[in-house]
Amino acid sequence: PDPVGGAPVAPPAPPAEPREEEPPEEPEAVEEIPAETTALLARIKDEAEAVAETIANSIKEVGPAYLDDAKIIPALAKCEDQGLAAVVKAVIDTEVNVIPLLVRTLPSLLQLAGAKRNSEGAKEAVEQLCDAVTPEAFPNVVQYLLDAVDATCSPSTRVLALGMISKFRTTAPEEVAQVMQQLVPVVSLAMTEVKAEVRDAAVACMDAIAEVIGNNDIEPALPDLKGCIVRPDETEACIYKLSATTFVQPVTQAAMSILVPLLIRGLRERQTSLRRQTCKIIMNMAKLVEDPRDAAPFLPEIMPLLARTVETVSDPEARSVCRRAHHQMLDLENSCNSAPLPPVTKHKMMVLLTEKIGEDKATDFLKKTMKYVAVSILSLAHKEAFLMGPWTTNIAGALSPYIGEEAATEVCRVVREDVQDRCTDEEEADEDDDAEQLCDCEFTLAYGTNVLLNNTKMKLKRGYRYGLLGPNDCGKTTLLRAIANGQVEGFPDPTVVRTVFVEADILGELSHFNVTDYVAHDKRIEAAGIPREEVSSMLEKVGFTDKMRGDPITTLSGGWRMKLAIARAMLQNADILLMDEPTNHLDVMNVAWVKNYLLSLKDVTSILVSHDSGLLTDVCTHIMEFRNLKLHLFKGNLTEFVRIRPEARAYFEFKATRLKFTFPQPTYIDGVRSRSSPLMRVTDASLVYPGNTQPTIEHATVSVSRASRVACIGPNGAGKSTLIKVLTGEVEPTTGSVWHHPAARIGYIAQHAFHHIEQHLSKTPNEYIRWRYAGGQDKENIARDTMILTDEEKKLQAEAIEYVWEDEESGETRRANRVIEKLTGARRQNRDNREDEYECKWRNMDHDHNGWVLKTKLEKRGWAKVLKKVDAKIAAQAGMQAKPLTMENVAQHLENVGLEREFGSHCRIASLSGGQKVKVVLAAALWMCPHVIILDEPTNYLDRESLGALAGAIEEFEGGVVIISHNNDFVTQLCPVTWVVEKDPDGISRPDTRGDQQWMEHALEAKQGEIEKQVVEAITDAYGNEVKVEQKKTMTKKQLKKKTKEILKKITEGLDLDEEEEALAEEHNLYAEAQEMAA
């Protein structure tokens, strides 16, 4: 987490070593111009037409070799006379394709076109030469044009160059998009030019080139983006407009070219809110960069600014957003550095052309044209244009003057085929030619303003089992629901491919049915026309006994609910099963049953979301991974996948987790001085559920203290959750007793965790917690069935009790029969017997006559449940004293359990994923700083990273912990004590406690010798002298009790105390105790 505040932020991946770099281009040798050529061009000023005709005729007769022998092109490139225009036009008119060489004269022509006199010919030559450049060759001339826009050039030259760029926007839009990173900075600078004609030409040019971005997300903001270039005061409005944009389309280099200047300006602003919004745009944009190398030109400028922003933003929440953006960009930078070179580069094309033309024929002179051709090939490959026409024009047309038309055509053909092979993605090999393809679609999946998958492909084949992997909150469950709801574009219609989402839900409108009728009345079962007898038969196949099939649906444990969901799916004869955590709540035997069932489905395709590594290893034929907004398919099970991608092991291992949870530590309980003192106790309890004839659990005796670390284990349906419900007070035992310390605060997460929040789905998590604890009490506890008064209790409360009190004026003891109207909520300890007593408001009497009544007396009069509410409220208030119930405090609290502020304060609970909802329930249970946390199946819906963070937080928690879980790794790591709940032969569970109950005391005793040692440390005073300080000895509870008795005896006998004894006497109020004893 941020050291000052903010949501937990996962650090970026470590920098990767660059894999491959494009070799630097060798500089061309300086050519010496022959004297004959110098003499020829010396006549150009007076005899331009004659010189032009001479050069043109020589090219027609000799071909391009004349240009090499006479070094005409280098000489023309240095020409500063207007006659150059005539020569260029004459050479173009020869129809001998030497344009790859002739474009080298473009800088001189542009300068001549800016002259005040006789510049029309140069302008015409510039236009004619640019018209002769093919669209694919535009990148060859763009730098010449941009150099001519420089402020050192004449306004006429600059306007002409900007006009040519605008013209290429029409003829070569895709090539313009390729070089936007070069164009935008230069054109943007020209838009601020003082000279109106240059400024207007630059604005028109920017309008033209901005149209090639092709990003629908950015296009609505283009007028604002262009406007804030010339009007910086509009930067803020533009940034806020972009920050509200949901980026869905891939972000290319062209899009970044127009966005990055604005983002750099936003990062340089002083306003924290503006920098936060800028970072939000950067974070959203970076996720959609498909080719990391597209970002390379922008990283050197934007990365230092981002790092500085993270360091200088003072607001914790804003800094958290900035940090996430910085980490996102660091990941992008690492990807850029480690990305392999594209299959087609200029150097690779030069090597390919040299190979196809022949080393002996590829002279230094020909290589000048080959470089030009190589750039054209890059353009053709980039836009995947593999029709023969453009290749003939750009390759055969450029090479035929040198190697002949037939050879050039052949080179063109083989190069095109080679490049096409390099650029065409190899289709995944079909594993089984007979496997029927059920789905082949490409789609984008968004969740609110977050893009989860972008233009990704998904192929599914019959009979295969796909494990869906990815970190928490990446969208795994959202994808399954989208498929089930028909929201994935291109996915087959449900009438063609039957798709069933398997989830262990209990629909509220059907919750009054028994198990068989619940399935039979499901809309999907009714629509399929499946009779009740078939439903009952299927339930029997998956293990439901006759009695269980007739039991109410609400009596099923989590494991049986999952088996019920599987049975319901089996009845529908699905083609595709979508299974979200199918082994949740299941014990080892039932997990094995699920594995065998899935392996038996030879004609059914399954997509599994699971954090059970054993399931994905034993069952899956393929792995689909969420990575960089794409679904990546791998053939093989989890073990084989991890061998190829070791970093994916983080999804399934607790160690090396980058996420950290922090639980609030419990406060001191008055009178409870040992962590091993019980705070909750169940004694010889039995429970018979309504409708049952025999107990679910019997003779249960357990206790929990702040030192407890307990794992409650046993098979499904044995009664683990029942024991916990008895312990927490959710249900009252039929026999036996349950005791809670009145000041103890208990945080409880039920097995079906979402029941805590299912009535509050329209609230944000922040709003839910503030609602739940408003007024200083936990409304969830008050709403429990066990806290509702029965008629018998109400009758007892209405009866008068004898109240005895001492009259303050006369000192006489008085008695009266009074009826209690209500408890005021105040509690204190009776001085005589140390028992709690509660303030009561008497019926028909004002508050001045309130009295205090002992707890035992009130319990006999039907006030036991009300007393629990008072105790709970007082305990909750004690836990919340140090943390006011404010929106900011709740947001920070949610972040401490891994729920980012974006989800915790700005998203409704209904829109959260399963993992996020568990975090909401966990945070709500922890708000009051509980002394004991009880977690019933906390590992469900959490990925391994979150589980590792949860385990770390439990290890650091100073209160008691009770965990029910089938995740053996999780409970083994945390719990030295075990409650084993399993049915005896008579079908009744009698919980058994195993393990080292006194594990903490034993651990402390092992260290007691070290604790009791007097540690002498050396410190240095203000004068540099070393002074040895003897630290205070730490005593055990037994030693302290003995010492206080000795000191008390000395005080009563009037003996002197040393400094240590005096300190202890004052700390434990022994002087006052001695006076009371003397009185």
Side-chain angles (χ1 to χ4, degrees):
D2 189 283
V4 177
V9 179
E17 292 294 329
R19 295 183 185 174
E20 188 180 6
E21 290 292 339
E22 180 85 342
E25 189 173 327
E26 295 182 5
E28 294 181 1
V30 177
E31 296 178 298
E32 184 177 348
I33 299 174
E36 296 82 356
T37 302
T38 302
L40 177 65
L41 294 185
R43 299 162 40 203
I44 200 170
K45 183 176 182 180
D46 300 322
E47 306 174 38
E49 295 297 333
V51 172
E53 185 178 355
T54 301
I55 294 174
N57 289 335
S58 298
I59 291 173
K60 290 177 183 178
E61 293 174 5
V62 181
Y66 166 71
L67 298 177
D68 183 26
D69 296 338
K71 303 294 185 285
I72 294 294
I73 297 299
L76 290 175
K78 297 177 181 179
C79 181
E80 298 179 355
D81 193 277
Q82 292 290 348
L84 174 63
V87 176
V88 170
K89 288 190 282 186
V91 173
I92 294 173
D93 290 341
T94 63
E95 298 183 356
V96 176
N97 189 356
V98 291
I99 300 299
L101 300 174
L102 199 59
V103 293
R104 298 177 179 229
T105 65
L106 193 55
S108 296
L109 284 173
L110 286 164
Q111 295 300 325
L112 294 171
K116 294 182 179 179
R117 297 181 181 178
N118 303 322
S119 60
E120 291 302 320
K123 291 178 182 177
E124 292 176 3
V126 168
E127 292 179 359
Q128 192 172 346
L129 182 55
C130 287
D131 287 344
V133 174
T134 63
E136 293 77 17
F138 170 65
N140 282 300
V141 300
V142 66
Q143 194 57 52
Y144 297 145
L145 296 172
L146 290 176
D147 290 342
V149 181
D150 190 81
T152 57
C153 300
S154 69
S156 297
T157 294
R158 301 173 73 186
V159 170
L160 178 61
L162 290 165
M164 291 298 102
I165 294 172
S166 300
K167 191 173 182 180
F168 273 110
R169 148 67 189 93
T170 304
T171 59
E174 293 181 76
E175 287 71 25
V176 169
Q178 291 178 45
V179 296
M180 280 290 283
Q181 185 267 329
Q182 297 171 257
L183 293 172
V184 170
V186 176
V187 178
S188 297
L189 187 61
M191 290 172 69
T192 61
E193 177 58 49
V194 175
K195 294 186 179 296
E197 64 269 29
V198 177
R199 185 172 63 249
D200 292 345
V203 170
C205 182
M206 181 62 77
D207 289 340
I209 63 175
E211 294 177 4
V212 307
I213 290 175
N215 189 300
N216 294 332
D217 302 332
I218 299 174
E219 281 180 3
L222 277 178
D224 302 280
L225 284 165
K226 292 181 289 187
C228 66
I229 293 174
V230 293
R231 295 180 295 276
D233 57 314
E234 296 180 6
T235 298
E236 181 176 352
C238 188
I239 285 175
Y240 275 100
K241 184 172 183 178
L242 276 173
S243 67
T245 300
T246 301
F247 289 91
V248 175
Q249 291 197 312
V251 174
T252 61
Q253 191 174 84
M256 283 186 275
S257 299
I258 201 85
L259 279 173
V260 168
L262 175 75
L263 301 177
I264 289 173
R265 189 178 295 177
L267 291 174
R268 287 173 174 162
E269 291 285 339
R270 300 183 64 181
Q271 296 179 43
T272 296
S273 60
L274 200 57
R275 288 195 280 175
R276 180 196 182 279
Q277 296 303 99
T278 302
C279 288
K280 184 178 176 183
I281 298 169
I282 291 172
M283 186 164 49
N284 292 336
M285 179 188 71
K287 293 176 183 177
L288 293 173
V289 177
E290 290 195 329
D291 185 354
R293 287 185 176 269
D294 281 350
F298 311 102
L299 294 175
E301 189 169 9
I302 205 168
M303 292 303 292
L305 286 173
L306 259 178
R308 192 185 70 180
T309 301
V310 172
E311 294 173 358
T312 57
V313 168
S314 58
D315 178 75
E317 193 277 334
R319 184 169 61 250
S320 175
V321 174
C322 298
R323 192 182 301 278
R324 290 200 299 274
H326 186 225
H327 287 178
Q328 187 75 42
M329 289 298 291
L330 283 173
D331 285 338
L332 182 61
E333 185 177 45
N334 291 340
S335 298
C336 176
N337 292 337
S338 62
L341 284 174
V344 180
T345 66
K346 187 175 180 180
H347 173 74
K348 291 179 180 179
M349 292 304 97
M350 283 296 294
V351 172
L352 179 62
L353 286 169
T354 302
E355 176 189 339
K356 302 306 178 184
I357 292 172
E359 288 278 357
D360 55 330
K361 296 180 181 178
T363 62
D364 290 341
F365 178 63
L366 178 54
K367 284 182 178 179
K368 295 177 182 179
T369 297
M370 288 165 59
K371 290 178 182 178
Y372 184 95
V373 169
V375 172
S376 300
I377 294 174
L378 294 186
S379 297
L380 289 165
H382 184 269
K383 58 186 182 181
E384 297 183 355
F386 295 110
L387 294 177
M388 199 62 194
W391 287 79
T392 301
T393 302
N394 284 279
I395 301 177
L399 296 177
S400 58
Y402 304 90
I403 61 175
E405 185 174 345
E406 184 177 346
T409 301
E410 178 61 17
V411 169
C412 175
R413 184 187 65 79
V414 295
V415 168
R416 183 186 71 89
E417 290 176 356
D418 188 293
V419 172
Q420 186 171 13
D421 289 341
R422 297 184 191 212
C423 296
T424 303
D425 293 332
E426 292 186 9
E427 292 290 329
E428 297 167 4
D430 288 340
E431 298 88 346
D432 187 346
D433 292 338
D434 297 330
E436 177 188 354
Q437 185 165 280
L438 298 178
C439 166
D440 184 3
C441 60
E442 183 172 348
F443 62 96
T444 292
L445 180 68
Y447 183 77
T449 58
N450 294 323
V451 177
L452 305 175
L453 293 169
N454 180 57
N455 291 341
T456 192
K457 295 180 180 179
M458 181 169 64
K459 290 185 178 181
L460 303 175
K461 293 195 173 184
R462 187 177 294 279
Y464 293 151
R465 296 174 293 278
Y466 300 88
L468 193 57
L469 296 188
N472 241 23
D473 307 332
C474 70
K476 301 184 292 295
T477 301
T478 302
L479 174 59
L480 295 190
R481 288 195 182 279
I483 293 173
N485 296 334
Q487 297 170 333
V488 171
E489 184 179 357
F491 199 88
D493 189 271
T495 59
V496 179
V497 176
R498 290 185 299 277
T499 304
V500 178
F501 189 14
V502 181
E503 52 183 341
D505 58 334
I506 298 296
L507 300 175
E509 63 269 22
L510 302 179
S511 59
H512 60 285
F513 286 117
N514 63 30
V515 171
T516 303
D517 290 337
Y518 175 83
V519 178
H521 284 82
D522 187 289
K523 292 180 180 178
R524 292 162 291 186
I525 301 298
E526 289 180 338
I530 300 171
R532 189 179 188 280
E533 294 74 21
E534 189 175 340
V535 171
S536 182
S537 175
M538 180 60 73
L539 289 171
E540 185 178 4
K541 285 182 182 178
V542 300
F544 284 84
T545 63
D546 291 341
K547 179 182 179 303
M548 292 177 69
R549 296 199 298 276
D551 283 344
I553 186 69
T554 52
T555 64
L556 292 183
S557 68
W560 284 103
R561 290 187 186 191
M562 181 56 71
K563 293 189 76 172
L564 179 78
I566 293 173
R568 183 173 53 193
M570 292 166 69
L571 284 165
Q572 298 175 65
N573 294 321
D575 294 306
I576 298 177
L577 285 179
L578 309 173
M579 309 186 79
D580 190 6
E581 303 292 354
T583 58
N584 269 7
H585 310 292
L586 297 184
D587 55 23
V588 176
M589 291 181 63
N590 281 316
V591 169
W593 179 88
V594 170
K595 291 179 182 178
N596 292 332
Y597 167 67
L598 290 172
L599 290 170
S600 70
L601 300 176
K602 303 302 181 183
D603 295 323
V604 178
T605 298
S606 306
I607 303 179
L608 312 172
V609 173
S610 179
H611 295 113
D612 185 343
S613 56
L615 177 73
L616 299 181
T617 296
D618 296 342
V619 168
C620 290
T621 60
H622 296 74
I623 298 295
M624 283 195 295
E625 184 190 16
F626 273 72
R627 190 171 78 249
N628 299 330
L629 304 180
K630 300 289 185 184
L631 282 176
H632 297 268
L633 185 66
F634 173 84
K635 182 185 178 184
N637 65 9
L638 179 65
T639 302
E640 295 163 339
F641 174 70
V642 170
R643 191 179 301 123
I644 301 298
R645 263 185 55 77
E647 56 269 32
R649 191 167 312 177
Y651 301 146
F652 299 94
E653 290 185 348
F654 293 132
K655 63 183 181 180
T657 178
R658 298 181 295 183
L659 186 63
K660 180 178 174 61
F661 288 1
T662 303
F663 287 179
Q665 297 300 342
T667 55
Y668 172 76
I669 299 178
D670 190 25
V672 180
R673 299 188 178 182
S674 171
R675 287 187 63 188
S676 58
S677 299
L679 299 180
M680 309 173 72
R681 184 185 296 117
V682 174
T683 305
D684 197 26
S686 301
L687 178 69
V688 181
Y689 278 112
N692 289 351
T693 57
Q694 68 176 22
T696 301
I697 59 171
E698 188 176 68
H699 301 309
T701 299
V702 295
S703 66
V704 182
S705 68
R706 284 180 57 195
S708 295
R709 290 291 186 275
V710 178
C712 186
I713 62 173
N716 287 123
K720 301 185 298 298
S721 294
T722 299
L723 176 62
I724 295 301
K725 287 178 180 179
V726 171
L727 177 65
T728 59
E730 284 226 340
V731 296
E732 290 186 3
T734 308
T735 62
S737 63
V738 178
W739 172 84
H740 292 178
H741 191 288
R745 297 184 295 275
I746 312 301
Y748 174 46
I749 298 180
Q751 183 185 71
H752 312 295
F754 300 160
H755 94 269
H756 293 282
I757 55 175
E758 61 189 6
Q759 303 300 322
H760 308 280
L761 298 180
S762 62
K763 294 184 177 75
T764 66
N766 197 306
E767 291 169 344
Y768 165 68
I769 292 177
R770 286 186 285 126
W771 165 85
R772 178 169 168 175
Y773 290 100
Q777 57 189 342
D778 185 353
K779 293 185 178 68
E780 295 281 2
N781 282 338
I782 295 173
R784 286 181 183 172
D785 293 340
T786 54
M787 301 294 275
I788 298 173
L789 296 177
T790 64
D791 292 338
E792 184 180 351
E793 288 169 332
K794 291 178 182 178
K795 183 179 178 181
L796 284 171
Q797 290 180 5
E799 296 177 357
I801 66 170
E802 183 183 40
Y803 177 58
V804 181
W805 79 99
E806 184 178 315
D807 187 272
E808 293 182 359
E809 295 181 0
S810 63
E812 297 178 359
T813 300
R814 296 182 179 272
R815 298 174 184 272
N817 288 333
R818 295 179 179 178
V819 178
I820 300 173
E821 180 182 316
K822 65 178 181 180
L823 302 187
T824 65
R827 184 187 70 197
R828 72 183 185 186
Q829 198 172 70
N830 187 281
R831 293 181 180 179
D832 297 330
N833 57 16
R834 301 290 183 179
E835 183 183 347
D836 287 337
E837 56 184 6
Y838 297 78
E839 186 180 25
C840 301
K841 163 76 169 59
W842 306 114
R843 185 179 297 172
N844 301 324
M845 299 181 71
D846 59 31
H847 288 278
D848 293 338
H849 295 87
N850 287 358
W852 295 84
V853 182
L854 291 174
K855 180 177 183 178
T856 52
K857 192 170 186 178
L858 289 170
E859 287 176 337
K860 293 176 182 177
R861 293 292 181 169
W863 291 90
K865 292 176 181 176
V866 182
L867 294 179
K868 288 181 180 179
K869 291 182 182 180
V870 173
D871 291 341
K873 184 173 182 179
I874 293 172
Q877 289 173 337
M880 293 188 286
Q881 283 177 354
K883 187 165 53 178
L885 191 65
T886 64
M887 185 174 180
E888 176 59 31
N889 284 344
V890 174
Q892 182 61 55
H893 179 72
L894 287 163
E895 288 179 344
N896 286 343
V897 295
L899 191 66
E900 296 179 21
R901 196 167 298 225
E902 198 74 27
F903 300 107
S905 299
H906 304 292
C907 291
R908 291 184 174 183
I909 294 174
S911 65
L912 300 181
S913 69
Q916 290 169 331
K917 287 178 180 176
V918 169
K919 292 174 184 176
V920 174
V921 175
L922 180 63
L926 293 171
W927 173 257
M928 59 179 178
C929 304
H931 298 97
V932 175
I933 301 173
I934 300 176
L935 307 170
D936 195 346
E937 296 286 6
T939 59
N940 292 343
Y941 299 101
L942 293 179
D943 63 6
R944 282 288 169 133
E945 189 173 30
S946 296
L947 285 181
L950 178 61
I954 289 174
E955 287 177 341
E956 296 177 4
F957 181 59
E958 295 179 3
V961 179
V962 179
I963 302 171
I964 296 179
S965 179
H966 293 298
N967 190 319
N968 187 60
D969 293 344
F970 188 74
V971 295
T972 301
Q973 176 178 331
L974 298 171
C975 302
V977 179
T978 302
W979 295 345
V980 180
V981 183
E982 53 189 1
K983 291 185 177 181
D984 291 338
D986 60 1
I988 302 174
S989 295
R990 296 173 178 85
D992 179 27
T993 301
R994 301 174 187 174
D996 184 4
Q997 295 280 7
Q998 307 298 324
W999 68 275
M1000 175 169 277
E1001 290 186 10
H1002 295 162
L1004 290 174
E1005 286 174 5
K1007 298 182 180 179
Q1008 194 60 49
E1010 299 177 17
I1011 294 174
E1012 292 181 355
K1013 288 180 182 178
Q1014 294 183 2
V1015 181
V1016 178
E1017 294 184 351
I1019 65 171
T1020 304
D1021 63 14
Y1023 301 99
N1025 301 313
E1026 191 175 270
V1027 181
K1028 291 186 176 180
V1029 178
E1030 188 175 288
Q1031 292 192 340
K1032 182 180 176 181
K1033 181 189 292 185
T1034 302
M1035 291 185 287
T1036 64
K1037 184 179 178 181
K1038 187 175 181 180
Q1039 291 170 332
L1040 180 61
K1041 186 176 181 180
K1042 182 179 178 181
K1043 187 68 175 177
T1044 53
K1045 281 185 177 181
E1046 292 175 358
I1047 295 170
L1048 193 60
K1049 184 178 180 182
K1050 280 188 175 184
I1051 293 173
T1052 55
E1053 293 176 358
L1055 301 176
D1056 293 333
L1057 306 180
D1058 60 27
E1059 290 184 6
E1060 183 182 351
E1061 290 172 336
E1062 283 186 3
L1064 282 171
E1066 291 179 3
E1067 181 181 351
H1068 297 280
N1069 205 20
L1070 298 183
Y1071 288 110
E1073 190 173 339
Q1075 289 177 358
E1076 288 181 9
M1077 290 172 61

